[in-house]
Amino acid sequence: MAGFLDRAKEQAQRGLTQGKQKIDDVQAQRAGGDLLKKLGAAYYAERRGSGSPEATQQALQALESHIATHGDAFLRA
């Protein structure tokens, strides 16, 4: 009986770990999408004359930093 409980506990722990990883992935994709949206807004504002090249560059750097950390999978989602 103890072996069964140990296996069940191990499977439950594995499921929790996989669930947490999936949540982390979704959150990273959302954050990437938000950064991409901010870059687009900064670029648009710059082109319309109400933004600055510095704001666009900051948004681009934030996006590139996110991509370096989490990858660019959100670009294909």
Side-chain angles (χ1 to χ4, degrees):
M1 185 68 164
F4 171 76
L5 292 177
D6 289 339
R7 285 192 307 267
K9 181 179 175 183
E10 182 181 310
Q11 285 180 339
Q13 187 63 37
R14 192 173 25 233
L16 287 173
T17 301
Q18 289 172 346
K20 183 181 180 326
Q21 180 63 41
K22 182 64 175 172
I23 289 171
D24 291 345
D25 291 345
V26 168
Q27 288 176 338
Q29 284 187 354
R30 285 184 181 165
D34 289 344
L35 290 170
L36 190 58
K37 184 177 176 181
K38 287 179 183 179
L39 175 60
Y43 178 76
Y44 180 77
E46 180 184 346
R47 297 293 292 176
R48 298 278 300 169
S50 61
S52 69
E54 293 81 18
T56 303
Q57 187 61 35
Q58 287 176 348
L60 179 61
Q61 287 173 345
L63 180 62
E64 288 175 340
S65 175
H66 179 82
I67 289 172
T69 303
H70 301 287
D72 65 354
F74 70 94
L75 295 171
R76 295 181 289 278

